[in-house]
Amino acid sequence: MLLLIAMFVAIVYRWVSLEQLQRFVPVEIKATPTPEPTPTRPAVITGKLDTGKLFNGITLHSTVETPQGTDATTERVDPESYVLDLKLQARLPSPNRTIDELAKVSPQLPALLPGLASMLTSDPVSPLFAELYSTKVKMLRENLTRLDLLLSRHNFYDCQTVLQLRHPQSHRKALLLQADMDVDADGSDADRMPIGSGAPTNFKPFTSYRWQKKTPAPNPYLAATEDRLKRVEDESALQTTTPERKRELRNAITRLRAEVGTLKKFSFLIGATDPYIVIPGSFARGRDSAKTGDYALVIFGDAIYPAIVGDIGPNDKLGEASLRIAKEINALATPYNRPVSELKVTYLIFPGTADTPFGPPDSDKIQARCQKLVDEMGGATVPLHHWENIIPPPPTPTPTPTPSGSLSPTSTSSPSPGSSAIPSASPSATFAFPIPSMSPPLIPTTSPLAPPTP
């Protein structure tokens, strides 16, 4: 009995001791997990498809209804017995109309452009706004059975407003857009940049703004395009190619041949070096609509960036600028990472201002022309951003030495001692960049201090 009592006391004492010690044990602090970066592109769909997680931003409501039917044999052959009703509801947005509504998106806008308020009419909304969202709805209806092709919520609501403006005194017209900013990295120009600047996904080596090539330098993306054309032609010539595949290849051959011809003939803007914006194709139709080459302004925060309309994009998307503008606004911008995700960018396009014929962009000319257009709409309270030329200069050409005996046989004098002949570049030399004339001044045959030759 005494032994059992002693064991019981020992167990109780041990239990009480452990409880008391727990008070002095430090609380375990769990490490805060490092947040993962937000992907800028949707993940690739692989394996099983979960429609509830397919689209970022699309709310999915799903139910299963099971009304009582007849026998299974009858229901199996009835197409209405097993039905999926797919309904997408997308509320259409209302455009901003007043200067106060514009300021809610871009607070600095009224102060940057004091004359903007006077350019707003009683009904300034452009028909292009309704046309843009009508196109979006049409695309939703056409792709409703292809869930992987539906616009995301971000791309559906990518335009805040489209307004037609006209200054009461100067009568200067402008088209105002408020949207986000995606990145366009397209374009190539062997005359200015013989080496390509990279080819991200969906890259195109050409832009809508183009001009005749100035030099015989080959486009940096021409060889790859010709190689694709050859591979498609070789596959089309195979006897084992099916008729359906041959039809696809014929269309590809037509397209690639056109691309090869275009790359051989034209130069284009370069997204990484030139300041330009992209507009939907529907915005480039009509008498008063914007056109390729029109001058434009990009306004974000308290800065105004001069630009041109350099490319035409899809009809159902708005808000895109060249990589050059994107990186100026946000240094982290890349072809896959947009600089501004919110609808806080204002684009001002001046229809009918394009200079023809097109040619290589001149940043000083773009700034001067945009400044004049800004003055016609009341001026700006800050100077326009100045674009520096970031294209590397061309290599210095090696001069061609003058052949011996090229002096006139009737010459009775020779170069003065200590002087050397200055070679001139061959007149037939062609360079990728325009180079000013470097002809040396005429060298006198006699020293001005020497007595004249009798």
Side-chain angles (χ1 to χ4, degrees):
M1 182 63 71
L2 291 176
L3 182 60
L4 292 174
I5 294 173
M7 293 177 61
F8 176 76
V9 171
I11 292 173
V12 172
Y13 177 77
R14 177 65 175 170
W15 177 76
V16 172
S17 299
L18 291 176
E19 288 292 326
Q20 293 295 327
L21 288 175
Q22 290 294 331
R23 299 181 181 180
F24 302 99
V25 176
V27 180
E28 181 182 359
I29 302 175
K30 295 183 179 181
T32 304
T34 304
E36 295 292 331
T38 303
T40 57
R41 290 186 295 173
V44 178
I45 301 172
T46 58
K48 295 182 178 180
L49 183 62
D50 186 351
T51 57
K53 299 179 180 178
L54 179 59
F55 302 108
N56 180 26
I58 295 183
T59 303
L60 178 66
H61 299 292
S62 59
T63 59
V64 177
E65 298 178 355
T66 56
Q68 187 62 46
T70 59
D71 60 277
T73 301
T74 303
E75 299 295 356
R76 173 179 283 189
V77 297
D78 185 358
E80 295 300 321
S81 63
Y82 205 68
V83 177
L84 172 65
D85 290 324
L86 189 58
K87 176 183 177 182
L88 174 63
Q89 178 179 331
R91 289 199 293 262
L92 295 178
S94 300
N96 288 348
R97 301 171 182 271
T98 66
I99 192 67
D100 293 334
E101 290 175 340
L102 295 176
K104 289 180 180 179
V105 176
S106 302
Q108 298 93 338
L109 188 60
L112 292 176
L113 300 173
L116 189 62
S118 64
M119 301 179 70
L120 295 171
T121 62
S122 57
D123 187 16
V125 179
S126 169
L128 294 174
F129 181 82
E131 184 176 349
L132 173 67
Y133 276 95
S134 175
T135 303
K136 291 175 181 288
V137 172
K138 179 182 178 183
M139 297 295 293
L140 290 179
R141 290 191 175 120
E142 291 179 353
N143 297 326
L144 190 56
T145 57
R146 286 289 308 274
L147 298 180
D148 56 321
L149 298 180
L150 286 181
L151 286 171
S152 66
R153 183 196 302 230
H154 178 94
N155 286 332
F156 186 78
Y157 297 107
D158 63 1
C159 177
Q160 187 80 4
T161 192
V162 181
L163 301 181
Q164 296 178 127
L165 308 178
R166 182 184 176 95
H167 196 271
Q169 281 79 40
S170 66
H171 305 294
R172 166 55 57 196
K173 293 181 179 180
L175 192 66
L176 183 146
L177 321 173
Q178 280 188 325
D180 58 4
M181 181 180 287
D182 291 325
V183 178
D184 185 298
D186 292 343
S188 57
D189 180 8
D191 298 344
R192 295 183 294 149
M193 188 176 287
I195 301 176
S197 57
T201 305
N202 299 327
F203 171 82
K204 299 181 182 62
F206 30 78
T207 59
S208 300
Y209 187 102
R210 63 189 63 185
W211 60 94
Q212 293 280 346
K213 282 179 57 61
K214 310 290 185 183
T215 76
N219 188 286
Y221 303 99
L222 176 61
T225 306
E226 290 178 326
D227 182 62
R228 288 198 303 272
L229 174 61
K230 184 178 184 306
R231 283 188 275 117
V232 172
E233 290 176 334
D234 291 344
E235 183 182 352
S236 179
L238 293 176
Q239 304 246 347
T240 55
T241 306
T242 64
E244 293 78 8
R245 178 60 176 164
K246 281 183 177 291
R247 282 195 293 269
E248 296 176 359
L249 294 174
R250 280 197 297 269
N251 293 333
I253 290 172
T254 301
R255 175 178 55 82
L256 289 171
R257 284 177 179 173
E259 290 183 6
V260 168
T262 300
L263 293 176
K264 288 181 177 179
K265 186 177 181 181
F266 295 102
S267 290
F268 313 89
L269 297 175
I270 306 173
T273 62
D274 299 328
Y276 66 85
I277 66 173
V278 183
I279 61 173
S282 57
F283 281 43
R285 295 191 293 266
R287 186 170 58 88
D288 294 329
S289 58
K291 297 290 192 300
T292 302
D294 283 342
Y295 289 94
L297 301 175
V298 179
I299 305 168
F300 180 74
D302 56 359
I304 304 177
Y305 304 91
I308 61 173
V309 176
D311 210 355
I312 304 298
N315 290 332
D316 60 335
K317 294 181 181 179
L318 183 69
E320 191 173 4
S322 65
L323 181 59
R324 178 70 190 277
I325 296 179
K327 292 191 76 68
E328 190 66 34
I329 290 178
N330 186 342
L332 299 179
T334 69
Y336 306 114
N337 186 31
R338 65 176 64 93
V340 184
S341 291
E342 298 178 322
L343 307 178
K344 292 186 176 296
V345 184
T346 300
Y347 304 86
L348 268 176
I349 304 173
F350 301 98
T353 58
D355 294 325
T356 54
F358 295 161
D362 183 337
S363 58
D364 292 334
K365 180 182 178 182
I366 293 175
Q367 181 168 6
R369 190 76 172 92
C370 285
Q371 183 64 60
K372 184 176 183 298
L373 294 168
V374 168
D375 293 339
E376 291 178 1
M377 56 179 293
T381 57
V382 298
L384 302 186
H385 176 80
H386 178 69
W387 295 109
E388 299 288 344
N389 181 20
I390 61 175
I391 295 180
T396 303
T398 304
T400 304
T402 305
S404 60
S406 60
L407 295 177
S408 172
T410 60
S411 173
T412 59
S413 60
S414 60
S416 59
S419 65
S420 60
I422 301 179
S424 60
S426 171
S428 61
T430 303
F431 306 104
F433 296 78
I435 299 176
S437 174
M438 299 298 292
S439 300
L442 294 177
I443 302 177
T445 57
T446 58
S447 171
L449 299 180
T453 303

